[in-house]
Amino acid sequence: MRLSQILFSQGFGARRECEGLVAHGLVKVAGEVIDDPQAEFDVSQGLAFEVDGLPWVYHEKALVMLHKPAGYECSLKPSAWPGVHTLLPLPLRRRGVQPVGRLDQDTTGLLLLTDDGPLLHKLTSPKHHVPKVYEVTARHPLSQQQVDRLLAGVVLDDDPRPVKADAAELTGETTLRLTLVQGKYHQVKRMLAAVGNRCEQLHRSRVGGLVLPHDLPAGKWLWVDDPSAIFR
Ligand code: URA
């Protein structure tokens, strides 16, 4: 694939801009400046390069994991808080990566974003039942009876059919690990309220087989190279 085409495919700008970046000597491959936009490279193994000092690895489709901090909105048109997109580098934003589902403004933790339409559809479809694990801090001490009710199913105000936690375990007096397969609006907060408690803090630690690494600071992101890891 031609170098300018590689840059274009990765979100570094319009075709002309990408040609200019290469021709102006701003692109390095294996540490060496390549100033011929037509130079060909093999991307099948994920070519590593640098654009104006920004290291990049070619990904045909982008799938990234963001450690979402509190105070950011998942909406593409955020109203009150900055959007999670602002935490990503420009090439990913230009590629139009979209959050896979939503986390509330005050929820922290693992958020996936992708520009892969079929994958986004698969991950958000209720058919695929991707479990999500939440670490909940409740306002009041949690009882085993409340946990049992979350597991048995509670009725929320928008649907008469009860929603159940797939798993729920107490991790402290006021903390709980909750696994859900659905993704209803404010689901954890509403489930806690339905059992007479209140969610004070919410953190998502896992989506399917992907665990948020402990050493990934809030606001930072990583490539997910193998989407199938989600379904394991
Ligand atoms: N449930 C909620 O209530 N909020 C989230 O952000 C995610 C799940």
Side-chain angles (χ1 to χ4, degrees):
M1 198 167 173
R2 281 179 287 113
L3 191 52
S4 59
Q5 172 67 19
I6 294 173
L7 263 55
F8 173 69
S9 72
Q10 300 301 286
F12 282 93
R15 287 178 197 279
R16 274 292 171 84
E17 285 176 78
C18 293
E19 283 170 11
L21 287 167
V22 181
H24 283 96
L26 293 170
V27 182
K28 286 184 185 170
V29 180
E32 192 194 330
V33 172
I34 308 288
D35 60 8
D36 175 6
Q38 311 300 324
E40 295 265 348
F41 291 90
D42 176 8
V43 291
S44 61
Q45 304 301 314
L47 181 76
F49 57 96
E50 223 180 279
V51 181
D52 202 10
L54 179 69
W56 205 258
V57 177
Y58 175 88
H59 285 80
E60 188 184 348
K61 292 287 175 196
L63 174 64
V64 300
M65 171 194 290
L66 172 71
H67 182 165
K68 180 193 173 295
Y72 286 82
E73 279 184 34
C74 288
S75 161
L76 292 176
K77 290 200 177 126
S79 50
W81 303 86
V84 286
H85 288 84
T86 60
L87 297 165
L88 298 177
L90 202 53
L92 284 177
R93 291 157 69 177
R94 283 214 187 98
R95 281 173 77 162
V97 294
Q98 292 192 38
V100 178
R102 298 268 168 104
L103 290 177
D104 296 335
Q105 166 278 120
D106 53 355
T107 301
T108 60
L110 199 170
L111 179 70
L112 294 172
L113 297 105
T114 186
D115 66 351
D116 183 339
L119 180 67
L120 181 68
H121 183 257
K122 192 168 165 185
L123 286 172
T124 46
S125 141
K127 255 198 325 201
H128 284 93
H129 291 302
V130 177
K132 290 142 204 125
V133 180
Y134 294 93
E135 311 296 333
V136 182
T137 304
R139 175 175 292 184
H140 311 291
L142 286 149
S143 64
Q144 189 55 46
Q145 196 197 12
Q146 287 176 336
V147 172
D148 293 342
R149 283 181 62 199
L150 293 168
L151 287 166
V154 293
V155 175
L156 304 179
D157 47 13
D158 59 350
D159 193 339
R161 288 168 299 181
V163 285
K164 288 181 190 180
D166 229 41
E169 58 168 314
L170 289 170
T171 51
E173 205 193 6
T174 54
T175 55
L176 171 74
R177 181 166 300 128
L178 202 60
T179 306
L180 302 181
V181 290
Q182 315 90 338
K184 285 171 168 281
Y185 180 67
H186 290 334
Q187 186 169 342
V188 174
K189 291 174 183 166
R190 292 196 294 154
M191 287 178 79
L192 263 282
V195 300
N197 208 316
R198 191 186 155 101
C199 178
E200 290 281 281
Q201 269 178 39
L202 189 55
H203 177 81
R204 187 157 70 186
S205 55
R206 185 178 192 123
V207 173
L210 295 178
V211 178
L212 186 72
H214 286 295
D215 57 358
L216 183 65
K220 298 292 176 197
W221 66 278
L222 292 173
W223 290 104
V224 177
D225 286 319
D226 178 13
S228 67
I230 304 168
F231 301 99
R232 270 184 225 131

